Amino acid sequence: MNTETFAKTKVGKVALKILGAVMESRFRYRFFGPARILAAADIQPGRSVLEIGCGTGYFTVPAAGMVGERGSLTAIDILSESVEFVTKRVRAAGLTNVRVIKADALDTGFNDGSFDTVLLFGVIPAPMLPLHRLLAELHRVLKPDGTLAVWPPVPGLLPKSILQSHLFTLAGKRNSVYTFKRT
């Protein structure tokens, strides 16, 4: 069962409601503030950023502020509900440098080398996302000198898997965010 199908089931709807509440909890903002985590991703003004799995938009609005008016942020999610929610959040914040799109992270449809940075925050490991396919797609859409920033929900689990893909090299780690350069 894929993510979209699961999200339409009774169990999926309840699970998404609980997950959304956790993602937007005061506890999360206090101890895992988005600005602190995003700072480790080295997002620069004027850059183009792709956010994979925007969910509730927890990172979307702060990241859009970091790229500034001359930069752009494209936030994607496979779930229509997430896209609608984040679109409202972006409009309420008055942001004009953000596009929120319903898209599959395994086949984004973006041109090769479209983005300076890809944010993969709290998305993997997910059983619905085969890591080898996801990494290949992210490698494809990153510019040759692009950066993949990964904030895993389980620290230490992913760097080895990402390095084994031979698509990325580890550039650093700060605030539990791993940054990788495209090979």
Side-chain angles (χ1 to χ4, degrees):
M1 178 181 303
N2 68 27
T3 305
E4 264 189 302
T5 304
F6 175 71
K8 293 182 190 318
T9 67
K10 279 187 177 185
V11 172
K13 288 178 183 179
V14 170
L16 287 174
K17 189 170 188 167
I18 292 169
L19 184 59
V22 169
M23 290 174 76
E24 292 299 316
S25 72
R26 281 188 246 157
F27 174 83
R28 187 174 187 214
Y29 275 92
R30 181 179 173 122
F31 293 103
F32 302 100
R36 180 178 165 268
I37 294 166
L38 284 165
D42 195 33
I43 297 171
Q44 300 296 318
R47 295 298 194 97
S48 59
V49 175
L50 173 62
E51 179 187 13
I52 302 292
C54 60
T56 62
Y58 184 77
F59 293 106
T60 308
V61 172
M66 294 172 83
V67 297
E69 289 291 320
R70 294 183 327 188
S72 66
L73 178 91
T74 302
I76 69 169
D77 205 290
I78 192 76
L79 299 175
S80 299
E81 296 82 3
S82 293
V83 171
E84 291 168 19
F85 185 85
V86 176
T87 298
K88 288 176 186 173
R89 197 172 197 172
V90 165
R91 284 186 189 141
L95 297 169
T96 58
N97 62 342
V98 179
R99 293 185 308 160
V100 185
I101 301 169
K102 183 179 185 300
D104 185 341
L106 299 176
D107 184 15
T108 62
F110 298 119
N111 292 333
D112 295 356
S114 296
F115 299 96
D116 295 301
T117 304
V118 172
L119 302 177
L120 194 58
F121 283 11
V123 174
I124 52 176
M128 293 73 74
L129 284 173
L131 191 57
H132 69 284
R133 286 187 53 209
L134 177 64
L135 293 175
E137 179 65 1
L138 301 183
H139 184 271
R140 186 187 70 74
V141 300
L142 269 171
K143 292 180 179 177
D145 61 343
T147 301
L148 170 63
V150 180
W151 181 62
V154 182
L157 180 66
L158 292 169
K160 188 176 179 182
S161 299
I162 293 171
L163 293 173
Q164 287 173 343
S165 74
H166 302 289
L167 297 172
F168 300 94
T169 58
L170 184 63
K173 178 187 175 206
R174 195 171 100 204
N175 295 342
S176 300
V177 174
Y178 296 88
T179 53
F180 298 88
K181 286 294 184 182
R182 212 180 145 216
T183 55

